[in-house]
Amino acid sequence: MNKEQIKQRMKAILALDSHPGHIATGFAVGVFISFTPFFGLHTPLAIAAAFLFRLNKLTTITGAWVNTPLTVGPALIASFKLGRFLRGLPPKPFVFAHLEWQELKVYSKSLLLGSSVIGIVAAIIAYFLCYWLVVRFRRKDPGLAELTRESIIVGEDLEQEQKQEKEIP
């Protein structure tokens, strides 16, 4: 993707006809997936998560592409080191030549633990950042601002109605 394509995709996400929280949740789940060591499966995992959890497919897939080829190496190394630390193991060199599971599986326990922790932290940050960006972007356009206001009001009303339904015997 080039810079213009990224810009157009971001505009499409920010202008989606959906609650900002729904948009941000899909993006955050995708970001979590992007930090997993299952290379080549990020997009299918994002699509599966979007269907399973009824998330927006565009935002989930876009989030899954956050960890780019330039950042995969440092993310893997950080995941491995964090995973070893959390498991109470001494530092060990992390050497890999290819991003293939056959080569990485000897490090799998530390990689999965470390990437899960880093992925959760990145997803939380991504959620709040995306939510803020959606609301801020929509303020610039009166139609989008009204859409945001209505989706927030309707979302709150639906939550209140669901609570009341549960309380009624």
Side-chain angles (χ1 to χ4, degrees):
M1 286 178 85
N2 65 29
K3 191 175 181 179
E4 189 58 34
Q5 289 173 320
I6 292 170
K7 191 175 180 181
Q8 291 303 319
R9 180 169 292 236
M10 291 307 295
K11 282 184 179 181
I13 288 172
L14 296 173
L16 284 170
D17 182 12
S18 187
H19 189 284
H22 187 72
I23 294 168
T25 301
F27 186 72
V29 168
V31 168
F32 174 82
I33 291 168
S34 78
F35 281 91
T36 63
F38 306 121
F39 305 107
L41 297 176
H42 289 160
T43 301
L45 286 171
I47 293 168
F51 277 106
L52 184 65
F53 299 114
R54 299 179 63 179
L55 302 170
N56 183 286
K57 290 157 208 61
L58 175 65
T59 59
T60 308
I61 292 168
T62 302
W65 295 343
V66 164
N67 201 357
T68 68
L70 298 174
T71 60
V72 165
L76 272 178
I77 292 167
S79 295
F80 175 72
K81 289 183 177 188
L82 178 61
R84 291 213 34 109
F85 173 77
L86 292 174
R87 293 176 62 214
L89 300 173
K92 177 182 173 182
F94 180 60
V95 181
F96 64 96
H98 303 285
L99 295 176
E100 295 174 5
W101 187 245
Q102 286 300 104
E103 195 171 325
L104 297 175
K105 82 175 166 182
V106 296
Y107 308 113
S108 63
K109 289 179 184 176
S110 296
L111 271 177
L112 290 172
L113 178 59
S115 66
S116 294
V117 172
I118 291 172
I120 288 170
V121 170
I124 291 168
I125 292 167
Y127 175 86
F128 288 106
L129 181 63
C130 184
Y131 191 99
W132 178 78
L133 285 171
V134 169
V135 172
R136 182 178 165 113
F137 177 80
R138 288 180 177 183
R139 283 185 191 149
K140 296 177 183 177
D141 182 284
L144 291 174
E146 181 62 21
L147 172 71
T148 302
R149 190 184 71 71
E150 287 176 6
S151 67
I152 290 172
I153 290 171
V154 169
E156 289 173 359
D157 287 345
L158 288 175
E159 288 172 9
Q160 289 174 359
E161 287 176 22
Q162 289 171 351
K163 285 180 186 177
Q164 288 173 353
E165 288 175 4
K166 288 179 183 178
E167 292 173 358
I168 297 174

